[in-house]
Amino acid sequence: MAIPVAPTTPPSQEALLGLFPPGTVLDRDGGLVIGGCPVTGLAERFGTPALIVDEAALRARARRYADGLAARWANSRVAFASKAFPCTAVYRLLAEEGLSIDVAGGGELALALAGGVDPASLVVHGNAKTDGELRMAVEAGAGLIVIDNFDDIDRLERIVTGEQPVLVRVTPGIRPDTHAAVSTGQEGSKFGLTLPRAREAIARLRGSSKLRLDGVHVHIGSQILDTEPFARAVEAVAGLGAFAVYDLGGGLGARYTYDDRPPSVEEYLDTLVDAARRVLPADAQIVIEPGRSMVAESGVTLYRVVTVKQGEPAFVAVDGGMGDNLEVALYGQRFEATVATRVGGGEPCHLVGRHCESGDTLSAGVRLRDPRPGDLIAVPVTGAYCFSLSNNYNGTLRPPVVFCRDGEARAVVRRETYGDLMRRDVP
């Protein structure tokens, strides 16, 4: 997958605003307003860095997915792939919108339950689920546990006392055009079972007195900008037989840069459902698991400029970085940015973080208009994985999460304190 590069000509202000949550506008002084809240006021109230979430935009995205799938295939449901944003308030919001939840690990399971998610709506994933995690899922009443390997079957046979519905995760041998770290459907993936091994697992589960085989699951990767591989994945699992449930995973890409052109939600759903109509039983339930494409565009990170170092290139350093956004260092993902009170235009700069690491670059060659110490910087499309991958490198405090809607703002995750850093120390 090619790494996105900076545009050679300044994008228009309209193009830049198009990367922010729908409904983002400028106030009379030219400052960004997200969810009806001026970002200057948000920074004063909650500090920086801060992850701002447009609540209405997130709810609208959830409804767009759920309504769009239901209109195309009545017996269906949308399960949010919560590793993209495992935050109690996000679980609660999406459950209120009627979505199911996909969790990977005991922590996500605990957060989902704390957020009021119906356990029966949970889909439990993981390539290395421990006895403890499986026991948590079974005792909570998780609706579906995804079998990733034969050890999952052995463990569940020991743990389950009644009946547990399961799916078999299939590795279809499909490599989409995406970063290798987030490609999961190819031969040699650590996830799932190859088609021959999946058939073995299916045969074994059909003979189990404790594990009820409801169907199969397939997921080929993340940040996929072409619908064709999704259709091939549907066709691959169809060859395994007729089942009550086909979980078709997620993977639709988000628009991070001016040049990104991901398929729309509707184009993605059309591809999946058209393939399903050709090869899947008409009465089967279809489940999809959008993650990145569900939450990415609703999030914006605010930073404060700490230093500006003139030169070739000019370095604009902010009070966050790879502690709150590892996507750049891990995957080479490009982000755009702007001075939040002087939106658009400017000269190319290297927007960098405060961490003691040369790889701590938020955006290389991004255009910023006359950046100065104390300015607010807004980086759009940070709703996916930035919170998930946040860390305490250099003892940095992880930022708060702030929901905005109709001009009202509320923190749903507070900023860490130095006391939090030491809370687990044993005297």
Side-chain angles (χ1 to χ4, degrees), residues 8 17 21 29-30 72 131 204 215 252 279 312 320 328 331 337-338 389:
T8 55
L17 286 175
D29 297 321
R72 290 164 171 80
D131 283 6
R204 180 173 167 186
L252 177 63
V279 297
E312 293 294 334
V328 184
Y331 310 130
T338 184
L389 297 169

Side-chain angles (χ1 to χ4, degrees), residues 174-408:
I174 295 170
R175 183 186 291 274
D177 182 16
T178 190
H179 193 282
V182 293
S183 180
T184 61
Q186 71 278 5
E187 296 290 341
S189 171
K190 75 173 188 176
F191 296 101
L193 296 167
T194 61
L195 290 166
R197 295 288 279 167
R199 289 188 179 94
E200 293 178 32
I202 289 166
R204 180 173 167 186
L205 288 165
R206 281 178 170 153
S208 175
S209 61
K210 295 182 176 180
L211 307 183
R212 189 187 80 205
L213 178 62
D214 279 9
V216 291
H217 169 275
V218 63
H219 177 67
I220 59 173
S222 181
Q223 190 54 16
I224 299 169
L225 303 178
D226 175 22
T227 62
E228 186 269 341
F230 296 119
R232 285 194 285 134
V234 176
E235 293 164 357
V237 296
L240 292 169
F243 301 97
V245 178
Y246 293 85
D247 187 329
L248 305 180
L252 177 63
R255 182 169 183 247
Y256 287 94
T257 73
Y258 305 110
D259 292 335
D260 285 342
R261 292 292 181 269
S264 67
V265 169
E266 292 72 25
E267 290 168 331
Y268 168 68
L269 295 177
D270 283 342
T271 295
L272 290 180
V273 172
D274 287 350
R277 288 194 182 112
R278 290 196 306 271
V279 297
L280 298 186
D283 60 346
Q285 182 182 70
I286 287 179
V287 181
I288 63 170
E289 297 174 346
R292 185 188 303 271
S293 64
M294 178 71 73
V295 294
E297 74 172 4
S298 65
V300 176
T301 303
L302 299 181
Y303 300 100
R304 190 75 72 178
V305 175
V306 179
T307 65
V308 177
K309 189 181 295 184
Q310 300 296 341
E312 293 294 334
F315 287 98
V316 177
V318 297
D319 54 359
M322 65 191 301
D324 57 79
N325 187 341
L326 264 179
E327 288 270 286
V328 184
L330 281 181
Y331 310 130
Q333 179 58 60
R334 179 171 178 79
F335 289 80
E336 306 298 348
T338 184
V339 178
T341 53
R342 295 186 294 281
V343 174
E347 297 301 316
C349 305
H350 275 21
L351 184 66
V352 299
R354 62 169 305 279
H355 301 281
C356 194
E357 187 87 25
S358 292
D360 182 26
T361 297
L362 286 165
S363 192
V366 69
R367 291 181 179 272
L368 301 175
R369 180 150 45 113
D370 190 22
R372 313 161 201 161
D375 277 342
L376 274 182
I377 300 292
V379 177
V381 206
T382 57
Y385 294 100
C386 290
F387 179 83
S388 313
L389 297 169
S390 61
N391 59 83
N392 296 120
Y393 189 32
N394 296 144
T396 300
L397 305 177
R398 284 178 290 189
V401 178
V402 178
F403 276 17
C404 295
R405 185 177 186 181
D406 298 331
E408 299 292 329

Side-chain angles (χ1 to χ4, degrees), residues 156-179:
L156 283 170
E157 288 278 12
R158 293 196 306 267
I159 292 167
V160 171
T161 56
E163 181 182 69
Q164 174 62 54
V166 298
L167 305 177
V168 172
R169 178 162 181 170
V170 181
T171 307
I174 295 170
R175 183 186 291 274
D177 182 16
T178 190
H179 193 282

Side-chain angles (χ1 to χ4, degrees), residues 75-97:
N75 184 13
S76 62
R77 60 184 174 122
V78 177
F80 169 54
S82 68
K83 64 178 183 173
F85 201 163
C87 169
T88 306
V90 173
Y91 286 115
R92 184 176 297 114
L93 181 154
L94 293 177
E96 289 171 355
E97 294 298 333

